[in-house]
């Protein structure tokens, strides 16, 4: 007579856990002298693999001769390339979903954090640094772009760059585009999941406003092929709340927008002596409400005076107009005559050629420059962001300009870009996506500080200058909270402790600034979709409890 044994579910879970504890050492303890990176490689090859493609074949560890090259290919900020910066235990350049799944499994087994890198600025290096042992999952090879001109949609994988996307769109149509950033090397994965703003946003909104579907892999290796399977709450969260807090974004489905066959760009420069203060004051009144076909960015920089000692401020008015110069000039003469824009200031281009102009590539540079992925001239920098909701007075502008001069030990300098809001941005509700900075904002500021030599003392000096200048800007920007753009990460506004114990209250120090009223909803989605907080970072979305 056979005896049947029935076990309760908690008992079964305990037994399975004990079996795992016994089994895992058998996998990794046969060679106790192996390093952690070597254990990781061995673990990869114990996971299910694609036929003829061992998981470890996609991976390099610090002892590989190509490790440094693979690491540095994705490092944009040399602050995080110093000898003292913790390096990853391995870099996995995944080619298939199987490679990603195996990477997740082995990070869990070996208690390694996972950093997902799709290419981009990554201002604080979160995609390739960590205070604890970690692995980089590089999405570089996930760069397929599938365009369907019949329904004007595109499936773009997370590792494709914006330049590759723009180039492929232009190869199919002269009158289609996509509203996203002006930096071609940025990867779609992180750019879209953080919002994705660019020079078409006053007309068409952000990238996330045109994302209609997505694919994502969760912490258990399960792939959700569309928004219905992942749930509308998850689909909402990853469009502006940062996909890396929820899973590995595999691809996005986007809806193309239509643009004129010809567009107009311009760049005018004015110093304080040439009326820059009055022009910037007027720009604040005009830029957010002018015809939404027109986007005028400001670049505000300290420069040396040519004819006398000392410094002054130069303001560049950089314009993108969805149309021809004749209509543009009619608009500016009516709404912004002080700019004195003339036809000779204007250049007519195809939309795809305008992306080369906005990327600051050579004026006659071929559009193939958009396909360039690897940077060779990176340096050291700090970036921060602010939102402005009330126009700054002329006296306030004069104060800001003088403060910039005082904080700029030339040839190094603090400088800013001011990007106008309004138009479509003011029409989309703040809770339509996690990107909360919609109506009520008149422009966004990006703060810059660059330097070009290594050294801890030099770094601290310039970081102190950048922080001091940002503090001086506090009276002129949003308050309670002082809002910040999630894709322009800034550790100075707060971080959580490493590991699994990030709390809702602890993360509010940055969560409220990035997401305001949308923060709690993001946390609730996280609690359902990644309840163990496997996908985490110093500024990630925590689980609720």
């Amino acid at each position: 007579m056979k005896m049947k044994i029935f076990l309760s579910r908690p008992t079964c879970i305990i037994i399975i856990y004990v079996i795992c504890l016994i089994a895992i050492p058998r996998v990794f303890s046969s060679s106790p002298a192996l390093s952690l990176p070597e254990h990781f490689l061995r673990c990869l090859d114990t996971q299910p693999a694609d036929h003829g493609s061992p998981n470890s074949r996609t991976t390099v560890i610090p002892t590989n001769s190509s490790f440094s090259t693979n690491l540095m290919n994705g490092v944009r900020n040399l602050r995080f390339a110093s000898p003292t910066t913790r390096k990853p235990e391995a870099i996995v350049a995944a080619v298939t979903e199987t490679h990603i799944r195996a990477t997740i499994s082995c990070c869990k087994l070996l208690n390694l954090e996972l950093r997902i890198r799709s290419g981009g600025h990554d201002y604080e290096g979160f995609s390739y640094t960590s205070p604890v042992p970690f692995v980089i999952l590089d999405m570089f090879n996930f760069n397929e772009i599938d365009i369907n001109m019949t329904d004007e949609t595109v499936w773009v994988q997370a590792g494709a760059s914006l330049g590759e996307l723009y180039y492929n769109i232009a190869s199919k149509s002269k009158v289609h585009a996509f509203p996203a950033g002006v930096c071609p090397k940025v990867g779609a994965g992180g750019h879209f999941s953080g919002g994705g703003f660019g020079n078409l946003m006053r007309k068409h909104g952000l990238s996330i406003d045109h994302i209609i579907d997505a694919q994502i892999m969760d912490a258990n290796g399960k792939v959700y092929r569309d928004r219905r399977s992942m749930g509308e709450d998850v689909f909402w969260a990853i469009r502006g709340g940062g996909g890396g807090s929820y899973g590995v974004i595999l691809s996005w489905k986007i809806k193309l927008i239509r643009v004129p066959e010809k567009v107009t760009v311009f760049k005018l420069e004015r110093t304080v002596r040439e009326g820059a203060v009055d022009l910037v004051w007027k720009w604040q009144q005009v830029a957010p409400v002018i015809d939404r076909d027109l986007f005028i960015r400001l670049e505000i920089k300290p420069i040396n005076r040519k004819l006398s000692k000392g410094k002054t401020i130069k303001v560049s008015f950089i314009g993108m107009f969805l149309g021809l110069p004749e209509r543009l000039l009619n608009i500016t003469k009516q709404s912004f005559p002080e700019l004195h824009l003339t036809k000779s200031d204007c250049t007519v281009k195809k939309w795809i050629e305008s992306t080369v102009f906005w990327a600051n590539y050579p004026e006659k540079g071929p559009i193939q420059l958009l396909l360039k992925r690897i940077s060779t001239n990176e340096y050291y920098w700090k970036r921060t962001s602010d939102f402005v909701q009330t126009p700054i007075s002329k006296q306030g502008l004069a104060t800001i300009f003088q403060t910039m001069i005082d904080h700029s030990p030339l040839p190094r300098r603090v400088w800013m870009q001011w990007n106008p809001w309004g138009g479509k941005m003011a029409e989309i509700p703040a809770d339509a996506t996690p990107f909360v900075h919609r109506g009520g904002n008149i422009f966004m500021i990006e703060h810059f500080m660059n330097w070009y030599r290594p050294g801890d003392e030099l770094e601290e000096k310039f970081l102190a200058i950048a922080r001091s200048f940002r503090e001086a800007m506090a009276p002129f920007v949003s308050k309670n909270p002082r809002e910040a753009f999630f894709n322009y990460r800034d550790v100075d506004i707060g971080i959580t402790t490493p590991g699994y114990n990030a709390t809702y209250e602890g993360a509010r120090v940055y969560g409220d600034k990035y997401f305001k009223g949308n923060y709690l909803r993001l946390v609730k989605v996280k609690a359902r979709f990644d309840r163990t907080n496997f996908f985490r970072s110093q500024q990630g979305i925590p689980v609720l409890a």
Side-chain angles (χ1 to χ4, degrees):
M1 177 177 176
K2 295 183 178 179
M3 182 180 294
K4 295 183 178 179
I5 299 176
F6 296 93
L7 299 175
S8 66
R9 185 178 178 186
T11 304
C12 290
I13 293 173
I14 292 172
I15 292 173
I16 292 170
Y17 180 70
V18 171
I19 291 172
C20 289
L21 289 178
I22 296 171
I24 291 171
R26 289 180 179 176
V27 175
F28 303 115
S29 64
S30 58
S31 300
L34 291 179
S35 65
L36 184 53
E38 291 168 329
H39 276 306
F40 181 77
L41 281 179
R42 177 166 294 189
C43 176
L44 287 179
D45 285 335
T46 68
Q47 303 298 312
D50 298 310
H51 179 70
S53 178
N55 294 316
S56 60
R57 187 177 296 175
T58 65
T59 305
V60 293
I61 61 176
T63 53
N64 292 118
S65 59
S66 61
F67 178 82
S68 180
T69 299
N70 278 268
L71 178 61
M72 291 303 299
N73 280 346
V75 174
R76 300 287 182 260
N77 189 346
L78 294 184
R79 282 175 55 206
F80 305 109
S82 70
T84 58
T85 301
R86 181 190 288 272
K87 304 301 186 292
E89 306 300 322
I91 303 172
V92 182
V95 178
T96 69
E97 292 175 6
T98 302
H99 300 147
I100 299 174
R101 189 173 293 110
T103 301
I104 291 173
S105 294
C106 290
C107 283
K108 291 165 74 173
L109 285 168
L110 296 172
N111 194 28
L112 294 165
E113 286 199 353
L114 183 66
R115 291 289 182 266
I116 305 166
R117 186 167 74 178
S118 62
H121 301 307
D122 192 1
Y123 289 171
E124 297 288 1
F126 285 168
S127 65
Y128 53 86
T129 65
S130 174
V132 297
F134 72 105
V135 167
I136 293 176
L137 174 61
D138 198 324
M139 299 296 287
F140 184 90
N141 294 311
F142 271 69
N143 62 351
E144 292 183 5
I145 298 170
D146 184 13
I147 301 177
N148 184 339
M149 291 309 303
T150 302
D151 63 3
E152 301 177 307
T153 64
V154 182
W155 274 105
V156 51
Q157 288 189 318
S161 70
L162 297 184
E164 290 169 339
L165 175 61
Y166 298 158
Y167 184 89
N168 278 270
I169 293 171
S171 71
K172 299 288 186 180
S173 171
K174 297 178 181 179
V175 294
H176 285 84
F178 189 70
V182 301
C183 300
K185 297 172 187 173
V186 170
H191 183 71
F192 292 171
S193 69
F197 92 93
N199 57 22
L200 299 179
M201 68 178 180
R202 297 195 64 253
K203 176 77 170 183
H204 296 284
L206 305 173
S207 299
I208 52 177
D209 301 324
H210 301 268
I211 291 175
I212 57 177
D213 214 337
Q215 296 182 346
I216 185 173
M217 182 182 294
D218 70 10
N220 296 316
K222 179 179 178 180
V223 175
Y224 299 82
R225 298 293 180 189
D226 53 38
R227 60 193 290 180
R228 183 183 62 82
S229 62
M230 73 179 72
E232 286 297 319
D233 59 341
V234 177
F235 185 62
W236 175 86
I238 62 177
R239 289 176 300 137
S245 280
Y246 298 91
V248 180
I249 302 294
L250 301 175
S251 59
W252 302 99
K253 187 177 184 181
I254 62 176
K255 182 74 173 178
L256 298 178
I257 54 101
R258 289 178 176 261
V259 292
E261 193 164 337
K262 299 287 186 179
V263 301
T264 304
V265 297
F266 63 86
K267 182 175 182 179
L268 294 176
E269 297 178 341
R270 300 287 187 267
T271 64
V272 170
R273 181 175 293 182
E274 295 167 329
V277 172
D278 290 341
L279 282 174
V280 173
W281 181 85
K282 183 62 180 289
W283 174 90
Q284 294 178 97
Q285 325 299 318
V286 171
V289 297
I290 203 168
D291 190 303
R292 62 183 60 192
D293 284 341
L294 178 58
F295 176 94
I296 306 176
R297 164 183 282 180
L298 300 189
E299 283 189 354
I300 306 174
K301 298 181 178 182
I303 60 169
N304 278 321
R305 291 187 178 96
K306 293 182 178 180
L307 301 178
S308 61
K309 295 181 180 179
K311 309 166 192 171
T312 188
I313 294 293
K314 179 181 73 176
V315 180
S316 299
F317 297 78
I318 308 171
M320 173 73 173
F321 180 66
L322 298 174
L324 296 176
E326 291 73 18
R327 188 163 73 89
L328 169 61
L329 294 176
N330 286 335
I331 292 170
T332 56
K333 285 177 182 177
Q334 180 178 352
S335 301
F336 200 179
E338 298 87 348
L339 190 59
H340 296 299
L341 184 69
T342 67
K343 190 170 184 179
S344 62
D345 299 317
C346 302
T347 304
V348 177
K349 295 178 177 289
K350 299 175 184 177
W351 171 75
I352 189 63
E353 293 170 340
S354 78
T355 66
V356 176
F357 167 86
W358 277 90
N360 284 322
Y361 288 149
E363 177 64 25
K364 300 296 183 179
I367 62 172
Q368 285 77 12
L369 286 171
L370 298 172
L371 302 178
K372 183 180 178 182
R373 290 291 300 259
I374 307 301
S375 296
T376 56
N377 59 343
E378 299 300 343
Y379 41 88
Y380 306 82
W381 35 266
K382 175 72 176 180
R383 303 283 188 268
T384 56
S385 61
D386 268 311
F387 289 87
V388 177
Q389 296 159 349
T390 303
I392 303 169
S393 68
K394 290 182 182 180
Q395 181 178 354
L397 293 173
T399 299
I400 291 172
F401 288 0
Q402 185 58 52
T403 305
M404 291 183 72
I405 290 172
D406 294 342
H407 281 73
S408 295
L410 291 173
R412 315 299 172 242
R413 59 194 176 190
V414 295
W415 59 285
M416 295 185 284
Q417 286 180 346
W418 292 10
N419 295 284
W421 248 232
K424 188 72 171 178
M425 292 296 291
E427 297 173 355
I428 299 173
D431 60 355
T433 66
F435 187 97
V436 73
H437 320 285
R438 302 284 191 167
N441 293 289
I442 57 176
F443 61 94
M444 184 185 77
I445 298 176
E446 182 177 2
H447 305 274
F448 296 76
M449 167 57 86
N450 303 336
W451 63 99
Y452 303 93
R453 289 186 292 111
D456 292 343
E457 289 186 10
L458 198 64
E459 178 175 320
E460 284 304 314
K461 172 185 176 182
F462 286 115
L463 287 178
I465 293 172
R467 289 163 180 155
S468 175
F469 178 74
R470 186 175 183 275
E471 184 60 31
M473 287 293 295
F476 308 104
V477 300
S478 60
K479 300 172 180 65
N480 301 317
R482 184 173 179 175
E483 299 175 33
F485 178 30
F486 181 65
N487 262 1
Y488 291 174
R489 299 293 190 92
D490 177 13
V491 297
D492 292 338
I493 68 175
I495 58 173
T496 57
T497 55
Y500 293 88
N501 59 346
T503 65
Y504 167 75
E505 286 298 331
R508 283 189 65 177
V509 66
Y510 56 83
D512 284 347
K513 297 179 179 69
Y514 288 140
F515 306 111
K516 295 176 67 177
N518 290 332
Y519 171 59
L520 177 58
R521 184 176 173 187
L522 288 167
V523 173
K524 289 180 177 179
V525 176
K526 171 80 169 183
R528 180 183 74 79
F529 198 71
D530 182 29
R531 62 186 62 190
T532 65
N533 197 25
F534 173 75
F535 294 102
R536 59 194 184 274
S537 72
Q538 297 97 305
Q539 283 191 345
I541 302 297
V543 295
L544 189 58

